[in-house]
Amino acid sequence: PVPLPPNAPPEPGGWQRYGAGPGFLAALARGDAPRAVWTALPGATWPDELARAAAAALASGRGALIVVPDGRAAARVDAALTALVGSGRHVLLTADAGPEERYRRWLAVSRGSVRAVIGTRAAMFAPVDRLGLVALWDDGDAALSDPHAPQPHAREVLIQRAVGERAGFLLGGVSCTVEAAQLVETGWARPLAADRERVRAAAPRIRTVGEGDEARDEAARAARLPTMAWQVVREGLKHGPVLVQVPRRGYAPRLACARCRTPARCRACAGPLESPRADDLVCAWCGRAEADWHCAECGGARLRAQVVGARRTAEELGRAFPAVPVRTSGRDHVLATVPDAPALVVSTPGAEPVAEGPGYAAGLLLDGWALLGRPDLRAGEEALRRWLTAASLVRGQEAGGTVAVIAEPTLRPVQALVRWDPVGHAVRELAERAELGFPPVSRMAAVAGRSDDVAALLGAAELPPGAEVLGPVPLPVADPGRPRRPGDPPPGESWERALVRVRPGQGAALAAALKAAHAARLVKREGEAVRVRIDPPDLG
């Protein structure tokens, strides 16, 4: 069918809470191409605000493309846009629709029958007619980076589409990545945020383990659930549901001998043993059950949990609050919503359900060391993003919402959470990366493979002037029984990785040089193939 006539420009709605929000919508409705990095206020209203931005682009007779990390978020934006402009003006492109229906919707977009698309990562390539707006939510989510060659990130693709098709650009989230801060720092996009007074009113109160808690509870810093955390949960259950975020899934993801603390290993593949449920003991790599385990070092038969998962946490909280229902949300079963009634909701990061009504009465962020202790350049940024995502579902401070974070209170990500200042954290991270010469300030390529092959490729490549080679350094040897992830070396092989760093503006020359050298080696059949990735997402 022919496309429907343009809808009327939408009312600002929630965008009135942001100083430049109404002006951004007005510019889209006029047919302009504004660019903004949007720091969303806490709460569950962001789907409606994304929908209003898309409706403003549709009102100008142009198309709109909204990309979100997962199907749950896409469904929420889809419902908001349908309520705003009605059905027939947009399609939802997610894997849940099935191949036939997804292809039918893709053809409707390609032929111009509909001019708005809401979808997950693959929708970044949707052929929207007369594109007027590209919007991306939560660009720090790993789901927006394609692990398959050429490994595009939705943020970079949408930036290129906004430039090439002269469309508006909106990058939103409750957190802020270093790349988003760089877009504002360079002047490519403008900041779109609320004033501090409105942020403080909308954000929940954040509590950490302070000196007063240590005076009342000597084990406050060492305990997994200090007295302060129990008080927050107990008080929150008087007014509604309480969200508990646990970084690890399962019951006991890592086990060790109770006597000598030696990690428990599988006798078949030497993989780590885990307990997905209270009475099960299986290998995390090969799935083999261990019925009669004994420690290889001391012969002990008792196990202790090195890491506690979401199921074990739910069991402990259930015993502590026997009259309160306990619900879990994780990889095996993700809840979309929970009712506005007293309950404990234990969730892994990214699977937090939305509480109906005003939101959660309280929140508890456990095991901060598991997020902050990862050997990764983005560990602090990622921990703050996950904490902010969970805490934004809790009621604001004026409504009595409180969030307790169990982590070292002096660390920078914890302090940024207490102040609810994701932009300040991202700006400081960007400044430190500029001093060190790390992306996104510089352009970088990771070359991984066997030692001789990496050296041969770098020796044959005509690198740009001033290129700096860091390394190579050995990569961890992949165990034969462990499931392979994208980029892992073949099992049993010793690989090395070198990083090639160039100045901004030389990224295309660096990619062309490595591509030419790699192609020449393939044609001549010299050695084994190496893996090259431009601007790797992690350097850990």
Side-chain angles (χ1 to χ4, degrees):
V2 297
L4 296 174
N7 54 278
E11 296 294 329
W15 285 108
Q16 291 181 340
R17 302 180 298 169
Y18 306 90
F24 182 80
L25 290 191
L28 289 174
R30 287 195 309 266
D32 296 341
R35 302 169 181 170
V37 173
W38 168 39
T39 307
L41 287 169
T45 61
W46 62 265
D48 179 74
E49 288 149 8
L50 274 180
R52 291 182 184 275
L58 291 174
S60 67
R62 301 177 297 168
L65 172 59
I66 300 176
V67 180
V68 294
D70 53 57
R72 291 188 305 143
R76 294 175 63 189
V77 181
D78 173 52
L81 187 56
T82 302
L84 197 61
V85 300
S87 59
R89 298 182 185 274
H90 75 281
V91 295
L92 181 65
L93 291 180
T94 60
D96 297 337
E100 293 182 4
E101 180 61 26
R102 189 165 66 249
Y103 184 54
R104 186 179 293 111
R105 297 175 184 178
W106 182 277
L107 288 179
V109 177
S110 178
R111 294 169 179 173
S113 297
V114 294
R115 289 179 175 169
V117 172
I118 301 168
T120 49
R121 182 181 65 211
M124 61 184 169
F125 296 114
V128 179
D129 183 41
R130 295 187 60 198
L131 191 61
L133 171 69
V134 292
L136 180 64
W137 176 257
D138 195 11
D139 64 312
D141 197 303
L144 295 172
S145 179
D146 196 331
H148 305 97
Q151 300 159 334
H153 193 288
R155 178 185 56 245
E156 309 305 324
V157 172
L158 295 184
I159 288 176
Q160 295 298 324
R161 294 194 67 175
V163 172
E165 303 183 48
R166 298 181 180 180
F169 178 83
L170 180 62
L171 178 59
V174 294
S175 184
C176 182
T177 61
V178 176
E179 288 78 8
Q182 187 189 36
L183 294 178
V184 176
E185 189 82 10
T186 58
W188 191 88
R190 299 290 300 274
L192 191 55
D195 57 74
R196 287 300 303 173
E197 291 183 3
R198 196 178 294 271
V199 171
R200 283 194 291 267
R205 178 192 178 197
I206 308 297
R207 293 191 58 183
T208 61
V209 178
E211 294 181 357
D213 299 298
E214 291 181 354
R216 292 187 296 268
D217 182 6
E218 296 181 357
R221 286 184 182 269
R224 183 169 184 258
L225 282 168
T227 303
M228 179 268 294
W230 290 110
Q231 292 173 349
V232 170
V233 173
R234 190 177 298 109
E235 187 65 27
L237 288 173
K238 298 177 182 178
H239 308 284
V242 174
L243 176 64
V244 182
Q245 186 193 72
V246 183
R248 303 295 180 90
R249 61 183 177 86
Y251 188 83
R254 289 295 179 267
L255 297 166
C257 176
R259 182 189 300 172
C260 67
R261 304 297 192 264
T262 301
R265 294 284 179 176
C266 174
R267 288 179 290 181
C269 69
L273 294 181
E274 64 177 4
S275 179
R277 286 170 293 275
D279 299 327
D280 294 343
L281 185 64
V282 298
C283 176
W285 292 355
C286 67
R288 180 177 178 269
E290 283 283 349
D292 186 22
W293 176 87
H294 286 82
C295 178
E297 295 293 328
C298 67
R302 295 181 58 191
L303 289 166
R304 70 185 301 269
Q306 287 183 311
V307 178
V308 177
R311 291 182 183 273
R312 173 71 176 270
T313 304
E315 182 182 288
E316 293 176 353
L317 292 173
R319 288 198 296 262
F321 301 96
V324 178
V326 180
R327 310 186 69 181
T328 58
S329 179
R331 188 182 69 173
D332 299 332
H333 179 59
V334 179
L335 301 174
T337 60
V338 292
D340 184 22
L344 287 164
V345 182
V346 182
S347 170
T348 53
E352 298 91 352
V354 178
E356 298 173 354
Y360 290 98
L364 184 59
L365 309 176
L366 293 179
D367 301 337
W369 60 268
L371 295 176
L372 296 170
R374 296 185 304 118
D376 190 352
L377 185 65
R378 295 181 181 269
E381 177 186 311
E382 178 67 8
L384 178 60
R385 184 187 71 83
R386 292 184 175 186
W387 289 340
L388 288 170
T389 301
S392 66
L393 301 176
V394 180
R395 303 168 190 174
Q397 188 169 346
E398 292 183 346
T402 304
V403 174
V405 54
I406 311 305
E408 173 56 47
T410 59
L411 296 178
R412 186 191 306 170
V414 181
Q415 287 300 309
L417 176 65
V418 171
R419 298 190 307 271
W420 204 274
D421 185 22
V423 175
H425 183 272
V427 169
R428 187 167 178 180
E429 285 282 317
L430 181 64
E432 291 190 354
R433 293 196 192 183
E435 293 180 4
L436 299 173
F438 283 132
V441 178
S442 65
R443 303 305 300 273
M444 186 174 285
V447 181
R450 295 178 178 176
S451 176
D452 296 340
D453 297 323
V454 171
L457 177 66
L458 295 178
E462 298 181 3
L463 300 176
E468 183 180 1
V469 179
L470 307 177
V473 296
L475 291 176
V477 179
D479 293 287
R482 181 175 182 173
R484 291 188 63 189
R485 294 171 293 185
D488 282 350
E493 291 192 10
S494 298
W495 276 26
E496 292 184 347
R497 184 187 69 176
L499 300 176
V500 185
R501 181 169 60 190
V502 297
R503 298 189 301 272
Q506 294 183 319
L510 172 64
L514 294 175
K515 179 181 178 181
H518 190 53
R521 284 174 48 81
L522 292 177
V523 169
K524 298 176 183 179
R525 298 183 179 180
E526 296 178 349
E528 298 291 335
V530 297
R531 290 175 180 161
V532 179
R533 177 151 192 183
I534 304 296
D535 290 341
D538 59 81
L539 299 174

